[in-house]
Amino acid sequence: MTSHHRCAAALFLTFVLTAAVAEAPVAVESVSSRPIVRQIDVTGTVTSPRTALLSTAVGGLVADLAIDEGDRVATGMALLSLDAELAQAARDRTLAEVRQREIAVADARRRLAEAEKVGTERGIAQTQIDSLRAEVASDEAALLASQAAAREQQAIVERHTLRAPFAGVISERRTELGEWVNPGDGLLELVATEDLRFDFRVGQESFAALSPETPVEITLDALAGRVIAGYVDTIVPVKNPGARTFLVRVLAADMDAGDARSITPGMSARGACRSEKFAQIASREAASSSARSSNSRCSAVTPGCRAVRVLPHGFREGLERRFQLAQVFQGQAEIDPGSKLV
């Protein structure tokens, strides 16, 4: 192709594009603040707010074991008892000593009162009276010590019975009747089943999109077809260095009692976090007139318009391009020559 032909083709192409732009419809739009909703799909696990591995505070032989795995227990319920025969005998001995000290204190106080009543004028030496006062003080101190020993032995007896610190379900039992256990040995695992939480591991790219109170839609296989409304309660910003994730803890906003009974710790859960961010978005408004002349530079538009959308004639909607109007004076906006307002 000669240079002459190339120039002719270029001029023809320029003419065609100019004609297309001249027929480009222009939509006038106004800018408003609207929420942009981003949905983050995550998977996680139902967790309990309390999980405890229970043990006794003293050693001994398991004498009574009234519960098994799966049993529901209330706060303060006796779960396990050790043989407390020796501890009870030691407690009884200290109680007897308390009684003995009480008698000694009462007798010392009586003798002191009689000596003070008679006085030194009737042959009672002051030294003897002072000795009686010291005896009373000593007996009172011994009584306090014996009472403390009695309370100690009573506490030891009570520690032979393991009680539930909170309501829940026994998830594991690690002992049996007749076994000898030591303090600190894990005997029973107790899991709370009220106020369950939903823990999700979320990718680091979504950290900035989530915040406390972000709404979450929760679904579980155990409740097919049901959606539980929840919200983000806690975000733990410590990422897992291996998986590059962080913990998002979700609580149910309102859960039916029947649904709550069907959910147990350890179940898998899916969550849809809906993150809303507000942004300036242009919305279409109707124009009052069109620029029909190729020499026209201005057209009347709806007051308040700040943006236009240019769509070349014959092009698809996805190929639109946007630009800001440079001038708006009393409802008059400057537009491209030959463009049409639609």
Side-chain angles (χ1 to χ4, degrees):
M1 180 182 294
T2 65
S3 59
H4 177 73
H5 291 163
R6 291 194 187 95
C7 292
L11 290 175
F12 177 77
L13 180 60
T14 302
F15 174 78
V16 172
L17 292 177
T18 302
V21 173
E23 296 297 327
V26 178
V28 179
E29 301 178 349
S30 61
V31 177
S32 60
S33 180
R34 296 182 183 178
I36 300 177
V37 179
R38 175 188 176 189
Q39 180 169 309
I40 304 173
D41 296 324
V42 293
T43 58
T45 306
V46 181
T47 61
S48 171
R50 292 181 177 180
T51 301
L53 185 59
L54 307 180
S55 62
T56 58
V58 297
L61 197 68
V62 178
D64 185 22
L65 187 59
I67 52 88
D68 202 350
E69 294 176 349
D71 290 347
R72 291 185 175 271
V73 299
T75 303
M77 178 179 174
L79 308 178
L80 176 149
S81 296
L82 304 179
D83 183 7
E85 181 180 1
L86 298 179
Q88 291 172 348
R91 178 198 58 188
D92 294 341
R93 183 176 63 253
T94 57
L95 291 176
E97 291 177 357
V98 169
R99 180 57 182 164
Q100 183 181 5
R101 297 298 181 183
E102 290 175 344
I103 295 173
V105 168
D107 181 65
R109 287 173 178 173
R110 179 187 58 78
R111 289 186 284 110
L112 175 61
E114 290 177 354
E116 290 177 338
K117 184 178 181 181
V118 173
T120 57
E121 296 179 357
R122 297 186 181 183
I124 302 296
Q126 184 62 40
T127 302
Q128 184 178 0
I129 295 176
D130 293 340
S131 297
L132 289 173
R133 286 198 184 97
E135 183 180 348
V136 169
S138 178
D139 288 343
E140 288 176 344
L143 175 61
L144 292 176
S146 62
Q147 289 174 339
R151 290 195 300 270
E152 179 184 4
Q153 289 300 321
Q154 178 61 35
I156 292 176
V157 171
E158 293 176 355
R159 280 166 170 73
H160 280 70
T161 300
L162 180 61
R163 299 184 180 276
F166 53 84
V169 175
I170 301 297
S171 62
E172 185 178 4
R173 191 183 77 178
R174 301 183 181 182
T175 188
E176 192 51 81
L177 287 173
E179 289 185 350
W180 181 270
V181 297
N182 296 310
D185 291 346
L187 307 178
L188 302 169
E189 187 177 60
L190 178 62
V191 179
T193 57
E194 300 293 333
D195 301 325
L196 297 178
R197 307 172 302 191
F198 304 87
D199 288 354
F200 299 100
R201 287 287 175 179
V202 182
Q204 60 184 356
E205 67 278 1
S206 302
F207 182 79
L210 298 178
S211 63
E213 306 302 328
T214 297
V216 182
E217 294 180 349
I218 307 167
T219 56
L220 299 98
D221 293 335
L223 301 175
R226 303 289 297 275
V227 177
I228 301 174
Y231 61 92
V232 174
D233 178 64
T234 305
I235 298 176
V236 182
V238 179
K239 299 178 181 177
N240 186 328
R244 299 294 189 269
T245 60
F246 60 95
L247 174 64
V248 175
R249 178 158 292 160
V250 176
L251 300 181
D254 186 15
M255 187 184 303
D256 183 80
D259 293 344
R261 287 191 295 268
S262 301
I263 302 175
T264 61
M267 287 184 173
S268 63
R270 294 179 297 276
C273 305
R274 299 178 61 83
S275 175
E276 292 187 358
K277 300 293 183 181
F278 282 84
Q280 297 293 325
I281 303 176
S283 59
R284 179 179 297 181
E285 290 186 5
S288 60
S289 64
S290 300
R292 302 183 182 278
S293 172
S294 60
N295 297 323
S296 176
R297 291 292 297 172
C298 295
S299 176
V301 296
T302 304
C305 292
R306 292 294 183 273
V308 297
R309 187 177 66 180
V310 177
L311 182 62
H313 180 70
F315 281 53
R316 298 195 308 273
E317 185 76 12
L319 297 178
E320 66 180 351
R321 54 188 176 90
R322 294 171 181 263
F323 61 90
Q324 297 292 327
L325 290 177
Q327 301 290 337
V328 176
F329 298 102
Q330 298 179 353
Q332 301 297 314
E334 183 178 4
I335 60 175
D336 288 339
S339 297
K340 291 184 178 180
L341 295 177
V342 295

